[in-house]
Amino acid sequence: LINEKGSDAVVCSHLFPMETLTFIRKRYKIEARCYGILSDYTCIPFLAETNLDGYFLPHELVRRECERAGIPSDRLIVTGMPVAGEFRASMTKAEAREKLGIPAQAKVYLIMTGGIGCGDAMSLCDTLMELPDEDAVIYVLAGRNQELLDSITEKYGICNEIRAVSFTDQVNVYMRAADALLSKAGGISSAE
């Protein structure tokens, strides 16, 4: 398919497709150049068993780790972390809350589960509900995980304290509006 489509390059943002491309390249001639993006701030396990044309790294220190793991230095390209421009744009907490319709006086907890809605957001909600804060509002960004969205709605109903949000392109606004952010430890989320 890569050859049929005439692709110039294939860029992988996760280890699994990097592994898959390595496997495919051992068996077939692929015309396209193949690259991996390392969005963790370390040389992740099994990266050294991949064989791509280049790897985009978030920091010079990660280059040294990758070299120690046996990845050829001429394939390591330090580019920094790819963060969308809207995360660098200036916006106050008050502006973000106004844009989202969040009351200015609320204590906002934001639970981010990534695009696929992973992690144990339900337990986090239960724990946060025990906090003695009457003005607390918990927003759960459930990503594309409809099951998580349905579970939150089923368990908590449509209450003012917990608000489930399906996949949104306003993550940067929610982050600016929050007082506390609970998220997975992803490299891109951390940089954002």
Side-chain angles (χ1 to χ4, degrees), residues 110-150:
L110 178 63
I111 299 173
M112 293 176 44
T113 65
I116 60 171
C118 59
D120 190 4
M122 301 294 284
S123 291
L124 283 173
C125 288
D126 290 342
T127 300
L128 291 172
M129 290 291 289
E130 293 175 11
L131 295 175
D133 192 344
E134 295 174 14
D135 292 330
V137 181
I138 303 164
Y139 284 86
V140 181
L141 302 188
R144 291 185 172 91
N145 188 334
Q146 189 62 47
E147 184 178 335
L148 174 60
L149 203 64
D150 293 343

Short mmCIF file of all heavy atoms in Angstrom, two decimals, residues 110-150:
data_model
loop_
_atom_site.label_atom_id
_atom_site.label_comp_id
_atom_site.label_asym_id
_atom_site.label_seq_id
_atom_site.Cartn_x
_atom_site.Cartn_y
_atom_site.Cartn_z
N LEU A 110 -9.59 19.17 36.15
CA LEU A 110 -9.67 18.65 34.79
C LEU A 110 -8.99 17.29 34.74
O LEU A 110 -7.81 17.16 35.06
CB LEU A 110 -8.99 19.61 33.81
CG LEU A 110 -8.94 19.19 32.35
CD1 LEU A 110 -10.36 19.07 31.78
CD2 LEU A 110 -8.12 20.17 31.53
N ILE A 111 -9.75 16.27 34.34
CA ILE A 111 -9.21 14.93 34.16
C ILE A 111 -9.09 14.69 32.66
O ILE A 111 -10.09 14.72 31.94
CB ILE A 111 -10.12 13.85 34.81
CG1 ILE A 111 -10.25 14.11 36.31
CG2 ILE A 111 -9.59 12.46 34.52
CD1 ILE A 111 -11.26 13.20 37.01
N MET A 112 -7.88 14.50 32.20
CA MET A 112 -7.63 14.26 30.78
C MET A 112 -7.29 12.79 30.57
O MET A 112 -6.43 12.25 31.25
CB MET A 112 -6.48 15.15 30.29
CG MET A 112 -6.85 16.62 30.31
SD MET A 112 -5.51 17.74 29.84
CE MET A 112 -4.79 16.95 28.44
N THR A 113 -7.96 12.16 29.62
CA THR A 113 -7.76 10.74 29.39
C THR A 113 -7.17 10.45 28.02
O THR A 113 -7.10 9.29 27.61
CB THR A 113 -9.10 9.99 29.53
OG1 THR A 113 -9.98 10.42 28.49
CG2 THR A 113 -9.74 10.23 30.89
N GLY A 114 -6.76 11.48 27.29
CA GLY A 114 -6.18 11.28 25.96
C GLY A 114 -7.25 11.06 24.92
O GLY A 114 -8.44 10.94 25.23
N GLY A 115 -6.84 11.01 23.67
CA GLY A 115 -7.77 10.87 22.56
C GLY A 115 -8.60 9.61 22.59
O GLY A 115 -9.73 9.58 22.11
N ILE A 116 -8.05 8.54 23.21
CA ILE A 116 -8.80 7.28 23.25
C ILE A 116 -9.50 7.05 24.59
O ILE A 116 -10.16 6.05 24.78
CB ILE A 116 -7.89 6.06 22.93
CG1 ILE A 116 -6.74 5.95 23.92
CG2 ILE A 116 -7.38 6.15 21.50
CD1 ILE A 116 -5.95 4.66 23.78
N GLY A 117 -9.37 8.00 25.51
CA GLY A 117 -10.07 7.88 26.78
C GLY A 117 -9.56 6.77 27.65
O GLY A 117 -10.32 5.88 28.04
N CYS A 118 -8.28 6.78 27.99
CA CYS A 118 -7.71 5.70 28.81
C CYS A 118 -7.54 6.15 30.26
O CYS A 118 -7.65 7.32 30.59
CB CYS A 118 -6.37 5.25 28.22
SG CYS A 118 -5.14 6.55 28.10
N GLY A 119 -7.26 5.19 31.10
CA GLY A 119 -7.04 5.47 32.52
C GLY A 119 -8.30 5.25 33.33
O GLY A 119 -9.37 4.94 32.80
N ASP A 120 -8.19 5.42 34.63
CA ASP A 120 -9.30 5.16 35.55
C ASP A 120 -9.93 6.48 35.99
O ASP A 120 -9.81 6.90 37.15
CB ASP A 120 -8.80 4.35 36.74
CG ASP A 120 -9.93 3.85 37.62
OD1 ASP A 120 -11.12 4.07 37.27
OD2 ASP A 120 -9.64 3.25 38.67
N ALA A 121 -10.61 7.13 35.08
CA ALA A 121 -11.24 8.42 35.36
C ALA A 121 -12.33 8.29 36.41
O ALA A 121 -12.55 9.22 37.20
CB ALA A 121 -11.79 9.03 34.08
N MET A 122 -13.00 7.17 36.45
CA MET A 122 -14.10 6.98 37.40
C MET A 122 -13.59 7.05 38.85
O MET A 122 -14.20 7.72 39.69
CB MET A 122 -14.81 5.65 37.15
CG MET A 122 -15.41 5.52 35.76
SD MET A 122 -16.75 6.66 35.44
CE MET A 122 -18.04 5.88 36.35
N SER A 123 -12.48 6.38 39.14
CA SER A 123 -11.92 6.42 40.50
C SER A 123 -11.46 7.83 40.85
O SER A 123 -11.63 8.26 42.00
CB SER A 123 -10.74 5.45 40.63
OG SER A 123 -11.20 4.13 40.55
N LEU A 124 -10.89 8.53 39.88
CA LEU A 124 -10.48 9.92 40.13
C LEU A 124 -11.70 10.78 40.47
O LEU A 124 -11.65 11.60 41.40
CB LEU A 124 -9.76 10.50 38.92
CG LEU A 124 -8.32 10.07 38.72
CD1 LEU A 124 -7.79 10.58 37.37
CD2 LEU A 124 -7.44 10.56 39.84
N CYS A 125 -12.78 10.59 39.75
CA CYS A 125 -14.01 11.33 40.04
C CYS A 125 -14.49 11.03 41.46
O CYS A 125 -14.83 11.96 42.21
CB CYS A 125 -15.11 10.98 39.04
SG CYS A 125 -14.86 11.65 37.38
N ASP A 126 -14.51 9.75 41.83
CA ASP A 126 -14.95 9.36 43.17
C ASP A 126 -14.09 10.03 44.24
O ASP A 126 -14.61 10.55 45.23
CB ASP A 126 -14.90 7.84 43.34
CG ASP A 126 -15.95 7.12 42.52
OD1 ASP A 126 -16.93 7.76 42.10
OD2 ASP A 126 -15.77 5.90 42.28
N THR A 127 -12.78 10.01 44.04
CA THR A 127 -11.87 10.61 45.01
C THR A 127 -12.08 12.12 45.10
O THR A 127 -12.14 12.68 46.21
CB THR A 127 -10.40 10.30 44.63
OG1 THR A 127 -10.23 8.88 44.61
CG2 THR A 127 -9.43 10.94 45.61
N LEU A 128 -12.19 12.78 43.97
CA LEU A 128 -12.37 14.23 43.97
C LEU A 128 -13.72 14.63 44.57
O LEU A 128 -13.83 15.69 45.20
CB LEU A 128 -12.24 14.78 42.55
CG LEU A 128 -10.83 14.73 41.95
CD1 LEU A 128 -10.86 15.13 40.48
CD2 LEU A 128 -9.87 15.60 42.73
N MET A 129 -14.73 13.78 44.42
CA MET A 129 -16.05 14.07 45.01
C MET A 129 -16.00 14.08 46.53
O MET A 129 -16.85 14.69 47.18
CB MET A 129 -17.08 13.04 44.52
CG MET A 129 -17.45 13.18 43.06
SD MET A 129 -18.40 14.65 42.69
CE MET A 129 -19.96 14.24 43.44
N GLU A 130 -14.99 13.42 47.12
CA GLU A 130 -14.86 13.38 48.57
C GLU A 130 -14.21 14.63 49.14
O GLU A 130 -14.23 14.85 50.34
CB GLU A 130 -14.04 12.15 48.98
CG GLU A 130 -14.74 10.84 48.68
CD GLU A 130 -13.87 9.63 48.98
OE1 GLU A 130 -12.80 9.78 49.59
OE2 GLU A 130 -14.27 8.53 48.59
N LEU A 131 -13.65 15.48 48.28
CA LEU A 131 -13.01 16.71 48.75
C LEU A 131 -14.06 17.67 49.29
O LEU A 131 -15.13 17.81 48.71
CB LEU A 131 -12.22 17.38 47.62
CG LEU A 131 -11.03 16.60 47.07
CD1 LEU A 131 -10.43 17.33 45.88
CD2 LEU A 131 -9.98 16.38 48.15
N PRO A 132 -13.74 18.35 50.39
CA PRO A 132 -14.72 19.27 50.98
C PRO A 132 -14.71 20.63 50.27
O PRO A 132 -14.35 21.65 50.85
CB PRO A 132 -14.23 19.38 52.43
CG PRO A 132 -12.75 19.20 52.33
CD PRO A 132 -12.55 18.22 51.19
N ASP A 133 -15.09 20.64 49.02
CA ASP A 133 -15.08 21.89 48.25
C ASP A 133 -16.42 22.02 47.53
O ASP A 133 -16.67 21.35 46.53
CB ASP A 133 -13.92 21.86 47.25
CG ASP A 133 -13.67 23.22 46.62
OD1 ASP A 133 -14.56 24.09 46.71
OD2 ASP A 133 -12.59 23.41 46.04
N GLU A 134 -17.27 22.87 48.05
CA GLU A 134 -18.62 23.02 47.51
C GLU A 134 -18.63 23.60 46.10
O GLU A 134 -19.56 23.37 45.35
CB GLU A 134 -19.47 23.87 48.44
CG GLU A 134 -19.70 23.22 49.79
CD GLU A 134 -20.41 24.14 50.76
OE1 GLU A 134 -20.96 25.17 50.32
OE2 GLU A 134 -20.42 23.82 51.95
N ASP A 135 -17.63 24.39 45.77
CA ASP A 135 -17.60 25.04 44.46
C ASP A 135 -16.83 24.23 43.41
O ASP A 135 -16.58 24.72 42.32
CB ASP A 135 -16.96 26.43 44.57
CG ASP A 135 -17.83 27.40 45.37
OD1 ASP A 135 -19.06 27.24 45.32
OD2 ASP A 135 -17.27 28.30 46.01
N ALA A 136 -16.48 22.99 43.74
CA ALA A 136 -15.68 22.18 42.81
C ALA A 136 -16.52 21.67 41.64
O ALA A 136 -17.67 21.27 41.80
CB ALA A 136 -15.04 21.01 43.53
N VAL A 137 -15.91 21.73 40.46
CA VAL A 137 -16.49 21.16 39.25
C VAL A 137 -15.42 20.29 38.61
O VAL A 137 -14.26 20.72 38.48
CB VAL A 137 -16.94 22.25 38.25
CG1 VAL A 137 -17.56 21.62 37.01
CG2 VAL A 137 -17.91 23.21 38.90
N ILE A 138 -15.79 19.08 38.26
CA ILE A 138 -14.84 18.13 37.67
C ILE A 138 -15.21 17.94 36.20
O ILE A 138 -16.33 17.52 35.89
CB ILE A 138 -14.88 16.77 38.40
CG1 ILE A 138 -14.59 16.96 39.88
CG2 ILE A 138 -13.92 15.78 37.75
CD1 ILE A 138 -14.99 15.78 40.74
N TYR A 139 -14.27 18.26 35.33
CA TYR A 139 -14.46 18.02 33.90
C TYR A 139 -13.62 16.81 33.51
O TYR A 139 -12.44 16.75 33.85
CB TYR A 139 -14.02 19.23 33.07
CG TYR A 139 -15.01 20.37 33.12
CD1 TYR A 139 -14.98 21.30 34.14
CD2 TYR A 139 -15.99 20.49 32.14
CE1 TYR A 139 -15.89 22.33 34.20
CE2 TYR A 139 -16.92 21.52 32.19
CZ TYR A 139 -16.86 22.44 33.22
OH TYR A 139 -17.78 23.47 33.27
N VAL A 140 -14.24 15.87 32.82
CA VAL A 140 -13.54 14.69 32.34
C VAL A 140 -13.53 14.74 30.82
O VAL A 140 -14.58 14.66 30.19
CB VAL A 140 -14.20 13.37 32.81
CG1 VAL A 140 -13.41 12.17 32.29
CG2 VAL A 140 -14.33 13.35 34.32
N LEU A 141 -12.34 14.92 30.24
CA LEU A 141 -12.21 14.88 28.79
C LEU A 141 -12.07 13.41 28.41
O LEU A 141 -11.02 12.81 28.60
CB LEU A 141 -11.02 15.69 28.31
CG LEU A 141 -11.01 17.18 28.70
CD1 LEU A 141 -9.87 17.91 28.00
CD2 LEU A 141 -12.34 17.85 28.39
N ALA A 142 -13.15 12.84 27.90
CA ALA A 142 -13.23 11.40 27.66
C ALA A 142 -12.71 10.97 26.30
O ALA A 142 -12.72 9.79 25.97
CB ALA A 142 -14.67 10.93 27.84
N GLY A 143 -12.26 11.91 25.50
CA GLY A 143 -11.74 11.56 24.18
C GLY A 143 -12.82 10.92 23.33
O GLY A 143 -14.00 11.29 23.40
N ARG A 144 -12.43 9.93 22.57
CA ARG A 144 -13.38 9.22 21.70
C ARG A 144 -13.95 7.96 22.37
O ARG A 144 -14.50 7.10 21.70
CB ARG A 144 -12.68 8.85 20.39
CG ARG A 144 -12.37 10.04 19.53
CD ARG A 144 -11.77 9.63 18.18
NE ARG A 144 -11.65 10.75 17.31
CZ ARG A 144 -10.58 11.53 17.21
NH1 ARG A 144 -9.52 11.28 17.96
NH2 ARG A 144 -10.55 12.54 16.37
N ASN A 145 -13.80 7.87 23.68
CA ASN A 145 -14.23 6.70 24.42
C ASN A 145 -15.70 6.85 24.83
O ASN A 145 -16.02 7.37 25.90
CB ASN A 145 -13.34 6.50 25.65
CG ASN A 145 -13.60 5.19 26.35
OD1 ASN A 145 -14.68 4.63 26.28
ND2 ASN A 145 -12.60 4.72 27.07
N GLN A 146 -16.59 6.38 23.98
CA GLN A 146 -18.03 6.50 24.24
C GLN A 146 -18.43 5.71 25.47
O GLN A 146 -19.31 6.13 26.22
CB GLN A 146 -18.83 6.03 23.01
CG GLN A 146 -20.32 6.31 23.12
CD GLN A 146 -20.64 7.79 23.20
OE1 GLN A 146 -20.11 8.60 22.44
NE2 GLN A 146 -21.51 8.17 24.14
N GLU A 147 -17.78 4.58 25.70
CA GLU A 147 -18.09 3.76 26.88
C GLU A 147 -17.80 4.55 28.16
O GLU A 147 -18.60 4.53 29.11
CB GLU A 147 -17.27 2.47 26.85
CG GLU A 147 -17.61 1.52 27.98
CD GLU A 147 -16.80 0.22 27.90
OE1 GLU A 147 -16.37 -0.16 26.80
OE2 GLU A 147 -16.62 -0.40 28.97
N LEU A 148 -16.66 5.26 28.20
CA LEU A 148 -16.34 6.08 29.37
C LEU A 148 -17.36 7.21 29.53
O LEU A 148 -17.84 7.46 30.64
CB LEU A 148 -14.92 6.67 29.24
CG LEU A 148 -14.49 7.65 30.32
CD1 LEU A 148 -14.53 7.01 31.70
CD2 LEU A 148 -13.09 8.19 30.01
N LEU A 149 -17.69 7.85 28.46
CA LEU A 149 -18.67 8.94 28.49
C LEU A 149 -20.01 8.42 29.04
O LEU A 149 -20.61 9.04 29.93
CB LEU A 149 -18.85 9.49 27.07
CG LEU A 149 -19.37 10.89 26.91
CD1 LEU A 149 -18.42 11.92 27.50
CD2 LEU A 149 -19.59 11.19 25.44
N ASP A 150 -20.45 7.27 28.54
CA ASP A 150 -21.70 6.68 29.00
C ASP A 150 -21.62 6.27 30.47
O ASP A 150 -22.58 6.45 31.23
CB ASP A 150 -22.07 5.46 28.14
CG ASP A 150 -22.43 5.83 26.70
OD1 ASP A 150 -22.70 7.02 26.44
OD2 ASP A 150 -22.40 4.92 25.85
#
